[in-house]
Amino acid sequence: MPRRQPRDHYHVYVVLLSERVWNEPAFRKCNPGHDIVKPCVYVGMTGLDPDLRFDRHMAGVQANRFVLKYGVRLMPELYEFYNPMPYDAARDMEVELAIGLREAGYAVWQA
């Protein structure tokens, strides 16, 4: 009989992106209010451990193109206190976290 995963096993996560991502027109266009002293980040959600998900991005497995090309490291200080959570909460928190970081001056990509 297959084991069921716990209900609250979803995570939001934030990846620090190299400042070189700012050279990407699509990224710049989505971040007109970017405070240049704040970093560029990617916000995502996953049913995996965020460390494993980041490794998969960097290996090109279901990778976001900006994370694959410009990913530096995870920024757990921006997300770990939210995790874990149910799927619906993670889906909503991904959007809320991206909006909040953008409002705080971060340049954010959230797909």
Side-chain angles (χ1 to χ4, degrees):
M1 180 173 221
R3 289 181 5 178
R4 292 186 62 216
Q5 289 196 330
R7 186 172 145 79
D8 296 351
H9 74 277
Y10 291 90
H11 303 268
V12 291
Y13 61 98
V14 179
V15 176
L16 174 65
L17 302 175
S18 163
E19 62 190 28
R20 291 177 297 124
V21 73
W22 192 250
N23 295 325
E24 297 276 354
F27 191 90
R28 257 194 335 271
K29 183 179 178 182
C30 288
N31 292 285
H34 173 52
D35 177 344
I36 61 167
V37 300
K38 298 280 179 92
C40 299
V41 299
Y42 170 84
V43 176
M45 71 156 282
T46 183
L48 303 173
D49 178 271
D51 290 317
L52 177 58
R53 182 65 187 106
F54 177 69
D55 290 345
R56 290 174 62 107
H57 274 293
M58 299 309 288
V61 178
Q62 296 177 325
N64 173 272
R65 66 186 174 113
F66 293 137
V67 177
L68 179 61
K69 190 170 181 181
Y70 302 106
V72 176
R73 65 174 175 84
L74 289 171
M75 298 183 74
E77 65 275 15
L78 296 178
Y79 65 83
E80 70 183 356
F81 47 88
Y82 297 117
N83 295 326
M85 63 187 95
Y87 176 82
D88 289 341
R91 184 191 62 223
D92 294 344
M93 180 54 67
E94 177 188 8
V95 174
E96 291 172 23
L97 182 56
I99 290 169
L101 290 173
R102 191 173 279 127
E103 287 175 349
Y106 289 79
V108 179
W109 190 264
Q110 181 259 327

